[in-house]
Amino acid sequence: MQHTIRKTETELHETKGRLSNVEEKLMKSLELHQSNVDTIEYLEREVAILREPPYSFSCGSRTEKKQYISETITFTKLLYSSTNVEGAGLDISTGLFNAGHPGTYSATWALTASDDEGDHYVQIYL
């Protein structure tokens, strides 16, 4: 009987050791799983930007005559605005464009100037 008890105690001790090893492996596996989940979520966000890249288009107009000397041009009318970036766009009252997302942007403009009879000159510096 004594032998059976010792054998059972030994088996119990070995089983506890194996269980401890399994628990360790399980914890490492759970940590790895969470790390993989975090990586997948990050990659999904990055791919979403590729699927729907950020954009911002604005078109402002100023039809009234005004002389600007080293000033930011303001606008009287917002002709067009389309964006999928929160906070992006053209503020016509300040003339400032906020891209809302880092990147390379292009600005274009068109203007007219007239030199009527009696006018001295037209100067345009951009």
Side-chain angles (χ1 to χ4, degrees):
M1 176 79 138
Q2 199 61 293
H3 173 68
T4 305
I5 292 175
R6 269 190 248 136
K7 184 178 176 188
T8 303
E9 286 175 342
T10 301
E11 289 175 355
L12 179 60
H13 181 71
E14 290 172 356
T15 302
K16 284 182 178 180
R18 287 195 302 271
L19 181 59
S20 178
N21 288 340
V22 169
E23 286 175 339
E24 258 182 59
K25 289 178 182 178
L26 180 60
M27 291 305 293
K28 286 180 183 176
S29 179
L30 286 173
E31 289 171 7
L32 180 60
H33 173 73
Q34 185 58 50
S35 175
N36 288 341
V37 167
D38 293 344
T39 300
I40 289 169
E41 289 173 355
Y42 167 77
L43 292 173
E44 285 174 344
R45 285 190 303 272
E46 292 296 308
V47 168
I49 289 175
L50 296 175
R51 286 189 184 135
E52 189 177 332
Y55 66 86
S56 185
F57 299 99
S58 297
C59 180
S61 169
R62 176 174 202 90
T63 54
E64 294 88 26
K65 293 179 181 179
K66 181 173 182 195
Q67 180 177 357
Y68 287 95
I69 299 174
S70 297
E71 295 178 57
T72 301
I73 297 171
T74 59
F75 303 92
T76 54
K77 192 184 253 185
L78 185 63
L79 300 174
Y80 180 76
S81 181
S82 179
T83 184
N84 66 352
V85 179
E86 187 176 331
L90 175 64
D91 182 338
I92 63 172
S93 66
T94 64
L96 298 179
F97 173 75
N98 180 2
H101 186 81
T104 301
Y105 290 84
S106 175
T108 61
W109 63 88
L111 58 93
T112 60
S114 60
D115 188 8
D116 297 326
E117 189 176 329
D119 289 345
H120 297 333
Y121 53 85
V122 173
Q123 290 182 331
I124 302 172
Y125 300 94
L126 298 174

